[in-house]
Amino acid sequence: MCGIIGYIGKDVANKIILEGLKRLEYRGYDSVGTATIDAKNHLIIKKDVGRIEEVNTKLNLLEPASNIMLGHCRWATHGAPTRENAHPHLDCKNNVAVVHNGVIENFLELKEELIEGGHKFVSRTDTEVVPHLVEEGLNAGLSFYDATVNAIRRIKGSYALAIISTREPDKIICARNESPLVLGVSDSGTFCASDIPAILPYTNKVIVLNNGELAILEANKFVIKRVSDGITLSREAKVIEWSIEQAEKQGYPHFMLKEIHEQPTSLRNALRLQEQYLDLIATFLDRGEKIFLLAAGTSHYACIASSYMFSKLARLATYPIISSEFIENYGESVGIDTVILAVSQSGETYDTLKAVDYARMRAATILGITNVVGSTLTRVSRAYIVQQSGPEIGVAATKSYTAQVLVLAQLALKLAKIRGKLSQDEIDELKASLNRIPEVVENVLETREEKVKAIAKKYAKEKLFLFLGRGISTATALEGRLKLLEISYTPSLAYPAGESKHGPISIIEDGVPVIFICPNDETRKEIIGNIMEMKARGAKIISVCEKGDQKIANLSDDIIEIPKVNPLLSPIPYIIPLQLLAYYIAIEKGLDPDKPRNLAKSVTVP
Ligand code: AGP
């Protein structure tokens, strides 16, 4: 996720853009850049690696003064954080500048076509294809608008784009598909930005662009058009009453809730991985004699979920190990035949990096999945995948977890294909199930939140919770427990339900809430037995189950129903109500879910 902003009007743009970038910095902060058009109609680009203040001190973004400017703060997804990869990106003749937030799925084929057409590229980003596509149209004699709309119609994927050209220096053209983009209108000029906080100090009259729309901004007017057919759309500006702090959370009270609701988008971006990296990592995994999945906390639970997927889909045994225990427990067994897949949102977790270093010294192959390009994990991995979730501000992992599971599911499917373990029909069915996950999560968020809020209110004062699941739902039970534990400080246990009789059932007495994760999979019959044994001892049964599962509904005091999904993908939609439950119980207890006590977002110390 990156932040983009643009302004054109009567005022000097530089300060507006610089201040706006500072309020967008939470969206990405590995590099920063701006584009203006000076009095001689030249494009002036200033960009570098580093945070906004550092880059401004180095390059003085306030000069040369101009009344038209674009700004960008980057969270790298394609191409490491370097000056060349920082935005804005240009065409061959420095007549077009582009800033972008999103993931262009078909950039490789477009880049090849443009290189064949003689275009020169200087970065490894997906974004850089856009200015060259616009240049193609300008070279053909098209207007700036026609050249730009033709370019936008060529790209597939998520984008919030803002584009300027020396060809028509009195316009900004911006466009949106999935990545957020808002327009601002004021007496002094017009604005576009990734979100409202960036422009709120200058105007509270805002229009939210919808997917598939573009806008042509001029100093004292704007026009909105549909990308597909160029039809002009009329749209009234809304007056925003939020404070800046509220606006940074897009109106949500906390980053955690905003990020829970971002999951349909972050999951769509997790489905836009570059195939060659998935192939490369799957190939390395396929060669491993021993495969350890190393991670900590939530990332470890993503690894547990994926171990079921690797086993059931690719017939491959993998071992999810908590990073801090790996050396003691398996260190001596590591050798050249070992493959380590380290999963870390931050890419900086001390325990995971220490275990990775130990394995690397013993000639193991190191692979990584992370959310941060340029993190230590990306530098020590032989190959890595970036999950493309965008910055996660809340300390509790939410969108990064579901994205990790979705990336791992794609890897398991890739491996099943390589190893010939699934028929083409089974592969096609699973691919279709994977692609449906974002909309299933969207449906759960839209239709179940109020129910979960009511359940949170009902049980908020409970002193103890037990989370139980069988099979792959063990991972969901563990992650759901961690969410509740870490942000509401409520003592909670999580176990494979089959373990109940080996100890946990002793804590059950009248009224203890037991949360069962029970999708309609091959473990359902046995987990119904577990529900009944807990119920018989007075437990309150809260079940997260498949929509329409009347038998489980009849046994439960409260149910949260999830639309039917392939059971192997259930850890993604089934965790959503548990994220919301933890959040709303923390709110009921008057706690700040974004800043849980004693915890840091990334544990970079032993
Ligand atoms: C999860 O909500 C916590 N924030 C924590 O357990 C976290 O998952 C763990 O510290 C691992 O972080 P990483 O993914 O950045 O390595």
Side-chain angles (χ1 to χ4, degrees):
M1 180 161 78
C2 305
I4 74 168
I5 183 170
Y7 170 81
I8 181 166
K10 291 185 288 203
D11 294 345
V12 172
N14 305 57
K15 191 163 180 350
I16 293 171
I17 296 299
L18 186 57
E19 291 308 311
L21 282 173
K22 286 176 186 165
R23 274 189 290 282
L24 286 170
E25 196 163 35
Y26 77 92
R27 299 177 63 88
Y29 33 78
D30 59 49
S31 37
V32 176
T34 61
T36 53
I37 298 176
D38 69 8
K40 298 192 186 98
N41 199 33
H42 294 147
L43 261 183
I44 308 296
I45 305 299
K46 294 190 173 185
K47 63 181 187 178
D48 209 340
V49 175
R51 303 203 60 143
I52 291 166
E53 272 318 321
E54 296 166 290
V55 174
N56 183 39
T57 305
K58 197 190 294 182
L59 303 176
N60 185 9
L61 303 177
L62 294 174
E63 292 299 333
S66 172
N67 76 318
I68 179 171
M69 191 170 196
L70 302 181
H72 185 273
C73 48
R74 186 170 184 241
W75 180 275
T77 54
H78 292 74
T82 62
R83 186 193 171 286
E84 293 69 28
N85 290 334
H87 299 213
H89 288 288
L90 299 172
D91 65 322
C92 300
K93 299 174 194 149
N94 289 4
N95 288 326
V96 182
V98 176
V99 291
H100 167 231
N101 170 34
V103 176
I104 297 177
E105 279 173 56
N106 61 334
F107 87 95
L108 280 177
E109 63 191 76
L110 291 171
K111 188 167 181 175
E112 280 157 22
E113 177 194 313
L114 289 160
I115 289 171
E116 267 164 41
H119 290 265
K120 299 276 179 285
F121 283 77
V122 296
S123 84
R124 292 171 52 81
T125 66
D126 53 339
T127 306
E128 197 183 356
V129 299
V130 179
H132 291 283
L133 287 170
V134 175
E135 180 184 14
E136 284 284 287
L138 295 176
N139 291 346
L142 297 180
S143 69
F144 177 33
Y145 163 72
D146 286 330
T148 300
V149 74
N150 285 357
I152 293 169
R153 287 170 182 160
R154 296 289 313 276
I155 59 180
K156 294 194 191 85
S158 57
Y159 54 78
L161 288 164
I163 305 169
I164 58 176
S165 169
T166 56
R167 187 67 66 86
E168 295 180 43
D170 61 343
K171 291 184 185 65
I172 294 175
I173 297 180
C174 54
R176 178 213 178 159
N177 191 47
E178 287 179 23
S179 300
L181 190 61
V182 298
L183 308 183
V185 289
S186 74
D187 297 339
S188 76
T190 52
F191 306 75
C192 61
S194 295
D195 62 23
I196 293 166
I199 56 176
L200 202 51
Y202 306 103
T203 180
N204 64 356
K205 296 185 187 68
V206 169
I207 294 152
V208 177
L209 268 194
N210 297 321
N211 289 342
E213 292 179 350
L214 66 78
I216 305 155
L217 309 183
E218 296 183 60
N220 53 9
K221 64 181 177 179
F222 68 93
V223 172
I224 296 176
K225 288 177 173 291
R226 204 159 42 205
V227 170
S228 56
D229 54 14
I231 296 282
T232 298
L233 306 166
S234 67
R235 188 73 55 75
E236 286 304 309
K238 284 198 189 106
V239 175
I240 298 295
E241 307 296 349
W242 291 337
S243 69
I244 287 192
E245 211 236 345
Q246 278 174 317
E248 273 174 356
K249 296 162 194 153
Q250 272 158 25
Y252 290 102
H254 297 98
F255 279 110
M256 181 179 175
L257 191 60
K258 170 176 171 279
E259 287 156 3
I260 288 173
H261 282 269
E262 264 176 13
Q263 290 179 102
T265 298
S266 53
L267 287 166
R268 287 190 181 98
N269 284 334
L271 286 170
R272 292 182 172 122
L273 305 174
Q274 293 177 56
E275 281 300 309
Q276 75 263 33
Y277 296 133
L278 273 171
D279 288 330
L280 183 59
I281 291 203
T283 305
F284 279 126
L285 288 170
D286 187 36
R287 288 184 199 153
E289 284 302 311
K290 291 189 291 291
I291 299 168
F292 294 104
L293 312 176
L294 296 192
T298 289
S299 301
H300 173 54
Y301 303 141
C303 292
I304 291 178
S306 71
S307 65
Y308 289 85
M309 299 172 184
F310 285 124
S311 166
K312 287 176 177 296
L313 295 179
R315 315 287 189 270
L316 181 72
T318 57
Y319 305 97
I321 308 296
I322 289 177
S323 300
S324 56
E325 287 302 313
F326 175 68
I327 297 173
E328 279 307 300
N329 204 339
Y330 294 95
E332 299 310 319
S333 74
V334 174
I336 196 158
D337 61 353
T338 306
V339 173
I340 300 288
L341 176 58
V343 179
S344 174
Q345 188 281 134
S346 62
E348 299 299 346
T349 295
Y350 173 85
D351 293 332
T352 301
L353 295 177
K354 181 181 174 192
V356 160
D357 269 350
Y358 180 92
R360 202 158 57 106
M361 292 306 140
R362 296 176 73 97
T365 299
I366 307 299
L367 308 172
I369 294 177
T370 185
N371 192 30
V372 183
V373 180
S375 63
T376 304
L377 181 59
T378 61
R379 293 200 299 274
V380 300
S381 296
R382 182 84 173 275
Y384 64 86
I385 287 175
V386 179
Q387 61 190 73
Q388 305 181 141
S389 310
E392 189 172 62
I393 311 298
V395 167
T398 49
K399 64 174 183 174
S400 63
Y401 170 72
T402 50
Q404 285 171 342
V405 176
L406 192 53
V407 168
L408 287 158
Q410 292 173 81
L411 261 183
L413 183 57
K414 189 65 82 173
L415 259 171
K417 223 165 142 182
I418 290 174
R419 297 162 66 92
K421 302 298 182 189
L422 293 178
S423 69
Q424 190 55 49
D425 286 352
E426 288 170 319
I427 288 169
D428 293 345
E429 195 284 324
L430 262 158
K431 264 199 177 144
S433 303
L434 279 168
N435 291 330
R436 273 196 304 273
I437 284 294
E439 67 190 79
V440 170
V441 166
E442 209 152 42
N443 173 275
V444 174
L445 287 166
E446 282 166 4
T447 61
R448 300 293 182 271
E449 184 163 16
E450 287 312 307
K451 176 76 180 286
V452 175
K453 205 186 277 186
I455 293 173
K457 199 178 272 303
K458 179 175 173 183
Y459 293 94
K461 293 188 172 46
E462 293 301 331
K463 299 284 178 262
L464 169 73
F465 283 78
L466 182 56
F467 290 74
L468 295 176
R470 278 182 178 264
I472 200 166
S473 296
T474 303
T476 311
L478 288 161
E479 172 57 12
R481 182 280 315 269
L482 178 59
K483 288 289 94 56
L484 182 67
L485 192 68
E486 68 175 326
I487 66 162
S488 78
Y489 320 144
T490 309
S492 320
L493 297 175
Y495 273 92
E499 272 292 279
S500 305
K501 293 192 200 54
H502 302 281
I505 201 162
S506 67
I507 63 164
I508 298 302
E509 54 193 26
D510 260 4
V512 170
V514 181
I515 297 176
F516 281 95
I517 296 90
C518 32
N520 185 7
D521 61 14
E522 66 277 5
T523 70
R524 178 174 173 274
K525 188 163 164 292
E526 289 166 307
I527 206 150
I528 284 176
N530 295 124
I531 292 175
M532 294 168 81
E533 69 193 12
M534 292 295 175
K535 197 171 174 62
R537 288 163 179 75
K540 288 289 182 195
I541 307 298
I542 303 168
S543 297
V544 187
C545 61
E546 185 172 288
K547 190 171 176 185
D549 190 332
Q550 203 47 53
K551 181 154 187 164
I552 288 184
N554 294 340
L555 287 168
S556 307
D557 297 275
D558 295 278
I559 64 162
I560 302 151
E561 294 179 287
I562 306 292
K564 187 175 180 54
V565 290
N566 182 307
L568 276 180
L569 301 176
S570 64
I572 299 174
Y574 280 65
I575 196 62
I576 304 300
L578 302 182
Q579 294 171 342
L580 291 168
L581 182 69
Y583 174 81
Y584 284 112
I585 286 180
I587 297 301
E588 285 294 321
K589 297 176 81 169
L591 300 169
D592 179 351
D594 284 342
K595 301 186 188 74
R597 68 187 178 201
N598 310 332
L599 293 177
K601 184 60 188 170
S602 174
V603 181
T604 56
V605 293

